[in-house]
Amino acid sequence: MAKSFVPLTVVLCVSILPLAAMAVGTPFYIEGSVYCDTCRFGFETIATRYISGAKVRIVCKDRVTLKPEVVGKAVTGPKGKYRVRVTGDRQDQQCLAELVHSPIPGCRVADPGRSTATVILTRSNGAASTRHFANAMGFLRDRPLRGCAALRKLYLDDGDVRAI
């Protein structure tokens, strides 16, 4: 009985200790993208334009007090991509990536359905990766581009959108 217990202990130590060490000081990196919904459809399309220079922040709220804390900020680069470094395990806090600002005139109103993205900032759920991905977030263009009605028809008809 003692012989079978030793290998199990070794296996548990070898697999758990690296995760525990990573959880102590390794930061999370939240990655995502920001776009301008040029047709005001509420989702990304072939007419979508990704925004360089948009501002994003990561906000975590305590589940009991609901006190918000900004834990990271970023500005999107080319192709609308951002990466935010967040230190510390947020355990049971509710964390969101949030849109802050669009530099594009005529595309500065955050889409209410796509202005935030839930992010998980804990390793207590077994996640070992330091990279976490947020859903894309979008601003709405003031007026849809010409051609959006045809694009909508193609999407509704389940047609070939590559034809546009």
Side-chain angles (χ1 to χ4, degrees), residues 9-93:
T9 304
V10 170
V11 167
L12 287 174
C13 287
V14 169
S15 61
I16 292 176
L17 285 177
L19 290 176
M22 183 190 298
V24 172
T26 306
F28 292 98
Y29 293 93
I30 307 302
E31 299 178 33
S33 61
V34 177
Y35 65 90
C36 178
D37 184 351
T38 55
C39 288
R40 300 181 61 93
F41 287 173
F43 54 88
E44 295 167 271
T45 68
I46 60 170
T48 294
R49 299 290 180 254
Y50 292 89
I51 303 173
S52 177
K55 294 180 183 176
V56 175
R57 67 181 173 204
I58 307 296
V59 177
C60 294
K61 292 181 182 178
D62 182 271
R63 286 192 185 269
V64 176
T65 66
L66 296 179
K67 181 182 176 190
E69 176 188 1
V70 176
V71 297
K73 297 178 182 180
V75 176
T76 57
K79 300 180 184 177
K81 302 280 184 196
Y82 67 88
R83 186 174 196 222
V84 180
R85 182 180 192 268
V86 178
T87 57
D89 191 299
R90 300 293 157 175
Q91 298 173 1
D92 64 345
Q93 292 182 344

